[in-house]
């Protein structure tokens, strides 16, 4: 099979971690006899430096031509003071909306080898954790009208959702729950927000097509508390854009480190954009300290969701598992008695375990 990937390293640690993920992908293609065709393009701060804008047309075109996009991260202090319409983050929002990627999958999986990196008590963690956050990605407050008064004394961001937007993401969540443990927890703030009341009513209506799946609702404040009190109650968490952004970072921490968590952004067809959930970590950029595992596991998600190559995806996941089992760790997940590796060495160790 030919795998056509647009590679967008971005800023900060982006180039460091994407380099390792691409070498793992090359190894997968070698072992399983696929052809890898990559096109590397700029977005975020790197594109601002080169073209004066965070998302050049040429980058968007390359992404549209590809089967899938592999992205590192964008942003950093260098661009913190550029005007808001040109900030590096605009590249991400621009890509998600131009490519129609409305469904963001963020698995939070605690590996048994990393139990000691999880800040929760052992009796709460039990035998490990496996939660899938399904976050709506192209609606809500991040995409609503925004503005500020001329004197800078007031500002607003509008949160809006339509029924079809909620229906399509709810369907994705129910479909995914069917392949997992059959439970969806929909998170909203229906006691306060009109958009949440629409969200809850629409989710209930879609649920009628999926009665084999259990559905319950939680307010977002309660959900954030329950995630650390009793995370085992969750299988699939379905939520809107901003709540999903916050809850998935919280879920990431209970799995030990933000450096471990991949994500997929999907639409109805097989196209997808794959990226770690963390940012560009400017504090460790270029220092060979970043953990590349989140990006490598994003490649596994790409193989599974865009290309339908589940054996290849499983080989990447197994290689990560084996590297952890062999005691290999980057600094963010290091504990006494394990072997500390830099970004490049961890990437090579995982690539070497692909078989
Ligand atoms: P961050 O995720 O970049 O970093 C938070 C902390 O986690 C830092 O201490 C960092 O060193 C650490 N960290 C992150 N990824 C790591 C990895 N792979 N290995 C080891 N440690 C890791 O979040 P931030 O500091 O809030 O943001 C930094 C920049 O990234 C900002 O410009 C922000 O706008 C941007 N950002 C981009 C994205 C994205 O591109 N998807 C997401 C979030 C933040």
């Amino acid at each position: 099979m030919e795998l056509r990937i647009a590679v967008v390293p971005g800023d900060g640690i982006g180039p460091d971690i994407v380099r390792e993920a691409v070498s793992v992908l090359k190894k997968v293609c070698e072992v399983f006899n696929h052809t890898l065709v990559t096109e590397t393009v700029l977005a975020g701060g790197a594109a601002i430096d080169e073209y004066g804008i965070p998302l050049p047309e040429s980058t968007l075109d390359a992404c549209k031509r590809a089967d899938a996009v592999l992205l590192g991260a964008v942003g950093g202090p260098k661009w913190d003071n550029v005007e808001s319409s040109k900030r590096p983050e605009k590249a991400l929002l621009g890509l998600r909306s131009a490519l129609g990627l409305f469904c963001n999958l963020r698995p939070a999986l605690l590996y048994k080898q990393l139990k000691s990196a999880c800040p929760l008590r052992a009796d709460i963690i039990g035998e490990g954790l496996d939660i899938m956050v399904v976050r709506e990605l192209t609606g809500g407050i991040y995409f609503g009208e925004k503005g500020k008064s001329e004197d800078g004394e007031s500002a607003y961001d509008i949160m809006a959702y339509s029924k079809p937007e909620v229906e399509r993401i709810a369907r994705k969540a129910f479909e995914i729950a069917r392949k997992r443990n059959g439970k969806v927890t929909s998170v909203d703030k229906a006691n306060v927000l009109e958009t949440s009341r629409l969200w809850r009513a629409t989710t209930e209506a879609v649920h009628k097509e999926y009665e084999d799946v259990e559905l319950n609702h939680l307010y977002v404040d309660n959900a954030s508390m329950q995630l650390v009190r009793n995370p085992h109650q969750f299988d699939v968490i379905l939520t809107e854009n901003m709540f999903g952004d916050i809850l998935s970072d919280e879920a990431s921490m209970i799995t030990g480190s933000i450096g471990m968590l991949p994500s997929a952004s999907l639409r109805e067809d097989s196209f997808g954009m794959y990226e770690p959930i963390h940012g560009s970590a400017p504090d460790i950029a270029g220092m060979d300290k970043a953990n590349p595992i989140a990006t490598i596991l994003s490649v596994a998600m790409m193989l599974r969701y865009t290309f339908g190559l589940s054996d290849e995806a499983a080989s990447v996941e197994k290689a990560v598992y084996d590297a952890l089992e062999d005691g290999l760790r980057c600094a963010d997940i290091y504990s006494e008695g394990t072997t500390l590796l830099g970004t490049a060495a961890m990437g090579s160790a995982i690539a070497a375990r692909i078989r």
Side-chain angles (χ1 to χ4, degrees):
M1 182 185 240
E2 186 172 272
L3 281 58
R4 289 172 303 139
I5 317 289
V7 178
V8 190
D11 309 314
I13 59 170
D16 311 349
I17 52 178
V18 164
R19 190 179 311 117
E20 300 315 314
V22 170
S23 66
V24 167
L25 193 52
K26 277 187 184 146
K27 183 69 188 290
V28 170
C29 288
E30 244 172 72
V31 171
F32 290 86
N33 234 339
H34 299 298
T35 308
L36 179 64
V37 183
T38 59
E39 184 175 3
T40 301
V41 284
L42 299 181
I48 294 175
D49 289 352
E50 183 73 22
Y51 304 106
I53 48 169
L55 182 58
E57 243 354 91
S58 52
T59 294
L60 195 50
D61 288 345
C63 293
K64 285 180 177 165
R65 275 195 300 275
D67 302 315
V69 179
L70 177 65
L71 188 133
V74 297
K78 183 176 174 192
W79 305 281
D80 275 351
N81 295 322
V82 300
E83 68 171 90
S84 70
S85 65
K86 286 192 182 158
R87 285 184 61 88
E89 295 78 6
K90 286 277 168 194
L92 275 185
L93 300 187
L95 278 168
R96 288 169 187 167
S97 79
L99 299 170
L101 304 168
F102 67 88
C103 174
N104 189 216
L105 303 187
R106 295 185 165 202
L109 183 70
L110 174 63
Y111 286 82
K112 74 172 173 52
Q113 299 91 338
L114 298 184
K115 273 189 187 172
S116 64
C118 174
L120 297 182
R121 281 199 324 260
D123 61 309
I124 296 177
I125 306 166
E127 280 314 297
L129 290 168
D130 182 2
I131 299 169
M132 177 68 89
V133 179
V134 178
R135 167 189 170 198
E136 201 290 327
L137 203 58
T138 51
I141 199 163
Y142 292 177
F143 285 89
E145 189 191 324
K146 47 192 87 253
K148 61 178 181 201
S149 62
E150 267 176 26
D151 61 5
E153 292 290 311
S154 66
Y156 63 91
D157 300 275
I158 290 180
M159 184 172 197
Y161 267 108
S162 69
K163 223 163 135 184
E165 280 177 307
V166 184
E167 282 167 350
R168 63 184 184 176
I169 190 75
R171 276 202 183 88
K172 285 269 187 196
F174 288 123
E175 297 285 348
I176 287 163
R178 262 189 184 156
K179 294 185 193 140
R180 291 171 48 95
N181 297 314
K183 182 177 176 191
V184 170
T185 301
S186 175
V187 174
D188 60 38
K189 188 71 183 169
N191 50 343
V192 178
L193 299 176
E194 213 44 76
T195 43
S196 283
R197 286 191 273 274
L198 178 81
W199 183 277
R200 193 174 279 218
T202 309
T203 305
E204 290 279 357
V206 174
H207 181 230
K208 294 200 164 55
E209 299 161 34
Y210 299 90
E211 280 179 344
D212 52 315
V213 177
E214 188 190 333
L215 170 68
N216 71 327
H217 302 276
L218 286 183
Y219 295 138
V220 62
D221 39 355
N222 186 19
S224 68
M225 186 264 278
Q226 296 294 339
L227 259 176
V228 290
R229 195 184 77 92
N230 176 19
H232 281 286
Q233 69 186 280
F234 297 108
D235 176 23
V236 172
I237 294 178
L238 161 66
T239 192
E240 63 88 46
N241 204 343
M242 181 169 63
F243 298 161
D245 194 4
I246 298 166
L247 289 179
S248 57
D249 265 32
E250 186 185 355
S252 78
M253 210 41 231
I254 63 178
T255 71
S257 170
I258 199 164
M260 292 293 298
L261 293 182
S263 79
S265 302
L266 308 173
R267 56 191 194 198
E268 298 291 4
D269 63 7
S270 62
F271 184 89
M273 183 160 91
Y274 300 84
E275 55 183 313
I277 79 158
H278 58 72
S280 61
D283 51 332
I284 53 168
M287 295 164 75
D288 196 38
K289 282 188 180 167
N291 186 347
I293 292 181
T295 320
I296 291 169
L297 290 173
S298 301
V299 162
M301 291 186 90
M302 174 192 288
L303 292 165
R304 180 169 287 119
Y305 290 104
T306 288
F307 298 105
L309 298 171
S310 40
D311 288 350
E312 286 81 342
S315 80
V316 175
E317 288 157 354
K318 175 79 169 45
V320 168
Y321 181 93
D322 289 347
L324 294 174
E325 190 65 15
D326 292 342
L328 308 182
R329 303 283 190 273
C330 283
D332 58 320
I333 51 171
Y334 175 77
S335 59
E336 227 180 87
T338 59
T339 308
L340 181 63
L341 296 186
T343 312
M346 180 60 98
S348 308
I350 293 169
R353 286 166 174 76
I354 302 279
R355 49 183 72 99

